[in-house]
Amino acid sequence: RIQPAKPHAKNWDHHFSLEASSRRVSTLKSSAKTPQADVISLGVGRPASEFYPWQSMIMPGATDSHGTRTEANQGDAALPMICTQGESAFDLRTALDYGPSKGLAPLLRFVHQHTKLMHNPQYINWDVSLTCGATSAIEILLRMLCDRGDSILMEEYTYTGAMEAARPLGLNLVGVEMDRDGLDPVALDKRLLQWDVASGPKPKVLYLVPCGQNPTGITQPEERRRAIYAVVERHDLIIIEDDPYYFIRLSGPFHHADTTEKQHVTADKYLTDLPLSYLSLDTSGRVLRLDSTSKIIAPGLRCGWISGCSQLIAAFTAHSDFSTMGASGPSQVMLYKLLVERWGHEGFFQWLMHQSRRYNERLNTTLDACRRYLPIEICNWTVPECGMFLWVEVDWKKHPKARREGVGIDSALQVSIEGSVHARAREEGVLVSSGSWFAVSKTNQDRTYFRLTFAAAPGHKLSRAVECFGNAVRKEFLKKR
Ligand code: PLP
């Protein structure tokens, strides 16, 4: 029997809150949607599955009344990780039950020790809480610290997830100028000194990504951090230190041409070479540091941690009690098994060094390909010290249209050149991210960039991907008038 066609549901736009109506789709996620099978992605900073520490997972089912295993549990082969009800420190019952939003005690203890080891906060009353990843934590912090109409300070190019979380909350995003060492403290100070209260209250929050910054790849040197911290103290700001790339060290101990030297990097050398975090510098308790497992273990865990002064952490967990209700129990147990039972702190550092080495190999392949395939008269880039991004400047003023029409202050021409290079790269078979997606303010950007990530594509395709991008730039810039 032919069923009558079903109607569409009503449109509910008119019932949306101000927040929901102003929400936009995620720029990066929509750029990565439905990729053609033959397009290689240098676009989205999503680690390839070879970076995950687990190969398989087993969750034993319940036994029946005779103690016989039930169906779901038959045919187990190698069991890399088992969590059973009734096990000691962290059993499956605990993992599957409601738990404290802050996180389950045995894992939280490890995170607390880790924070002490890595950052040794300079005041007494500091604390940590697990999060459902950095993006969720940023959203909670913005709700906790800002009201509609407030302004928040960010690097002039920044993580789209933070911008896209902030806008629907009615916040005004203020991009602060950057130079080759990252956010410029003089520009920051000037903005705050000259703040016109008629335009809204003076900002209270500075959001920044200090290592392997997304998208520029910049890692702020120590003096820069100290200078920014001094400005922040002067103007009584809270810093959200979003640092998911901290442990992915590309230079320093891993960046040696000589591979034998590479193998002798000790955990001590690796740790002493890590940048000084804002949390380590902080004496007032104004830094809220976000760590994430997404880039160093696996993003699907949706788990990270926040560290900072106890009062702010308590407000964070109080918010989580009525929103995320904390990180998922099974994710926490996976982390507990790995970090506490298998690795311990030393094993975790060994893993992080191993990840850094692998990212470093990918970076080297990408850099070799850039030198070989990108036209250096049009493109330039800086080698990142941390993270997974290469920020390539494409000199749009060398485009035939710009030369013909004059560069003036015509940003429409620049935008169209950026769009054409992006589209042409896709046609050539590579997905890259356009720099303007990351710009806090869409005006006043007189440079054109593309962000290439070497984390996501299969390693053996990285070189080909850069070649495709180089072809796109060449064809776009050298095309007939
Ligand atoms: N923060 C920055 C600066 C990022 O670049 C990213 C990922 O792209 C995230 C946070 C996402 O972290 P999470 O997966 O923990 O939400």
Side-chain angles (χ1 to χ4, degrees), residues 157 396 399 412-424 433-437 447-450 476-477:
Y157 290 98
W396 70 279
H399 192 277
L413 178 57
Q414 182 195 357
V415 170
S416 101
I417 293 172
E418 185 191 64
S420 307
V421 173
H422 184 268
R424 209 181 264 273
S433 297
S434 297
S436 63
W437 298 348
R447 287 165 179 247
T448 294
Y449 298 97
F450 291 89
E476 189 52 39
F477 276 67

Side-chain angles (χ1 to χ4, degrees), residues 28 44-46 131-138 155 158-162 207-215 242-245 290-295 298-300 302-305 388-389 438 451:
L28 285 180
V44 183
R46 193 175 286 166
T131 65
C132 295
T135 312
S136 149
I138 293 164
E155 287 140 326
T158 195
Y159 170 48
T160 50
Y207 166 82
L208 45 76
V209 184
C211 296
Q213 203 251 2
N214 185 358
D242 182 13
D243 213 358
Y245 307 106
L290 301 178
D291 280 277
S292 171
T293 59
S294 291
K295 313 295 175 176
R302 304 312 311 137
C303 203
W305 56 91
M388 51 175 70
F389 301 120
F438 306 90
R451 191 198 73 176

Side-chain angles (χ1 to χ4, degrees), residues 7-256:
H8 281 282
K10 254 181 86 154
N11 177 298
W12 294 103
D13 280 358
H14 56 297
H15 277 344
F16 276 178
S17 66
L18 194 55
E19 185 179 327
S21 341
S22 50
R23 199 170 291 288
R24 298 283 164 264
V25 293
S26 154
T27 315
L28 285 180
K29 286 192 181 119
S30 52
S31 85
K33 238 190 236 162
T34 56
Q36 290 155 245
D38 51 351
V39 171
I40 312 169
S41 178
L42 300 184
V44 183
R46 193 175 286 166
S49 60
E50 72 201 52
F51 284 104
Y52 308 158
W54 295 281
Q55 296 297 310
S56 55
M57 176 173 165
I58 177 144
M59 288 287 155
T63 49
D64 65 20
S65 54
H66 308 291
T68 314
R69 286 173 164 201
T70 51
E71 191 135 316
N73 200 29
Q74 286 167 1
D76 301 335
L79 309 180
M81 198 185 81
I82 303 180
C83 182
T84 326
Q85 294 209 16
E87 215 179 81
S88 54
F90 200 145
D91 80 353
L92 190 59
R93 199 174 323 152
T94 328
L96 295 178
D97 199 354
Y98 282 114
S101 302
K102 209 172 166 186
L104 289 160
L107 179 59
L108 206 53
R109 219 169 9 251
F110 180 90
V111 169
H112 201 279
Q113 290 161 355
H114 170 86
T115 306
K116 172 103 176 85
L117 274 173
M118 297 310 306
H119 310 288
N120 190 21
Q122 298 300 302
Y123 53 91
I124 299 164
N125 54 330
W126 63 273
D127 203 357
V128 292
S129 166
L130 295 192
T131 65
C132 295
T135 312
S136 149
I138 293 164
E139 213 251 0
I140 292 177
L141 291 177
L142 294 178
R143 284 168 176 273
M144 202 177 107
L145 299 168
C146 305
D147 291 307
R148 272 190 173 271
D150 280 357
S151 295
I152 111 154
L153 300 157
M154 301 173 135
E155 287 140 326
E156 64 181 316
Y157 290 98
T158 195
Y159 170 48
T160 50
M163 289 194 273
E164 283 157 355
R167 287 204 173 101
L169 301 180
L171 305 183
N172 170 34
L173 312 189
V174 180
V176 180
E177 294 78 349
M178 300 168 79
D179 61 18
R180 60 197 301 275
D181 288 337
L183 184 113
D184 178 352
V186 178
L188 176 67
D189 198 29
K190 197 164 147 203
R191 289 251 176 182
L192 289 160
L193 287 171
Q194 296 177 352
W195 191 264
D196 177 6
V197 283
S199 70
K202 199 169 156 183
K204 297 182 286 189
V205 176
L206 168 64
Y207 166 82
L208 45 76
V209 184
C211 296
Q213 203 251 2
N214 185 358
T216 62
I218 295 172
T219 297
Q220 296 173 355
E222 186 175 325
E223 296 120 80
R224 177 57 59 99
R225 292 171 191 237
R226 291 190 186 279
I228 291 173
Y229 186 77
V231 174
V232 158
E233 283 268 86
R234 190 171 316 136
H235 295 279
D236 196 25
L237 302 182
I238 285 183
I239 296 185
I240 301 178
E241 174 180 36
D242 182 13
D243 213 358
Y245 307 106
Y246 177 68
F247 285 110
I248 306 177
R249 291 290 284 150
L250 300 172
S251 61
F254 296 108
H255 201 67
H256 295 296

Side-chain angles (χ1 to χ4, degrees), residues 41-45 213-217 363 366-367 369-370 374 379 381 384 387-394 421-422 425 430-435 438 449-456 462 465-470 473:
S41 178
L42 300 184
V44 183
Q213 203 251 2
N214 185 358
T216 62
L363 169 68
T366 309
L367 289 173
C370 286
L374 300 190
C379 299
W381 57 92
M388 51 175 70
F389 301 120
L390 194 65
W391 188 232
V392 178
E393 182 180 358
V394 173
V421 173
H422 184 268
V430 62
L431 179 68
V432 294
S433 297
S434 297
F438 306 90
Y449 298 97
F450 291 89
R451 191 198 73 176
L452 276 46
T453 173
F454 39 88
L462 283 172
V466 174
E467 185 179 0
C468 295
F469 180 61
V473 174

Side-chain angles (χ1 to χ4, degrees), residues 211-409:
C211 296
Q213 203 251 2
N214 185 358
T216 62
I218 295 172
T219 297
Q220 296 173 355
E222 186 175 325
E223 296 120 80
R224 177 57 59 99
R225 292 171 191 237
R226 291 190 186 279
I228 291 173
Y229 186 77
V231 174
V232 158
E233 283 268 86
R234 190 171 316 136
H235 295 279
D236 196 25
L237 302 182
I238 285 183
I239 296 185
I240 301 178
E241 174 180 36
D242 182 13
D243 213 358
Y245 307 106
Y246 177 68
F247 285 110
I248 306 177
R249 291 290 284 150
L250 300 172
S251 61
F254 296 108
H255 201 67
H256 295 296
D258 175 2
T259 46
T260 50
E261 202 176 332
K262 241 193 261 178
Q263 317 205 322
H264 288 111
V265 176
T266 60
D268 276 354
K269 171 86 179 120
Y270 170 70
L271 294 175
T272 46
D273 258 51
L274 287 171
L276 186 75
S277 67
Y278 280 93
L279 181 63
S280 315
L281 272 180
D282 184 20
T283 46
S284 307
R286 63 174 70 255
V287 173
L288 286 164
R289 177 181 166 84
L290 301 178
D291 280 277
S292 171
T293 59
S294 291
K295 313 295 175 176
I296 50 172
I297 297 184
L301 289 172
R302 304 312 311 137
C303 203
W305 56 91
I306 177 168
S307 28
C309 87
S310 310
Q311 184 197 0
L312 294 175
I313 300 298
F316 179 88
T317 5
H319 190 117
S320 309
D321 281 343
F322 302 102
S323 54
T324 62
M325 288 181 67
S328 136
S331 288
Q332 291 191 57
V333 85
M334 287 175 79
L335 282 171
Y336 172 78
K337 292 271 160 191
L338 192 69
L339 294 172
V340 183
E341 288 194 349
R342 188 163 302 178
W343 285 346
H345 293 287
E346 173 68 27
F348 186 31
F349 297 142
Q350 292 296 339
W351 170 257
L352 294 166
M353 288 166 65
H354 170 65
Q355 294 290 69
S356 294
R357 259 183 227 113
R358 295 204 287 177
Y359 276 110
N360 210 64
E361 277 163 24
R362 282 168 164 260
L363 169 68
N364 287 342
T365 308
T366 309
L367 289 173
D368 283 347
C370 286
R371 286 187 285 266
R372 189 174 315 165
Y373 299 118
L374 300 190
I376 47 160
E377 65 286 7
I378 301 168
C379 299
N380 73 78
W381 57 92
T382 315
V383 180
E385 286 174 33
C386 290
M388 51 175 70
F389 301 120
L390 194 65
W391 188 232
V392 178
E393 182 180 358
V394 173
D395 186 354
W396 70 279
K397 292 171 185 161
K398 301 223 168 98
H399 192 277
K401 263 195 194 159
R403 289 212 297 246
R404 195 170 57 240
E405 295 169 22
V407 290
I409 43 167

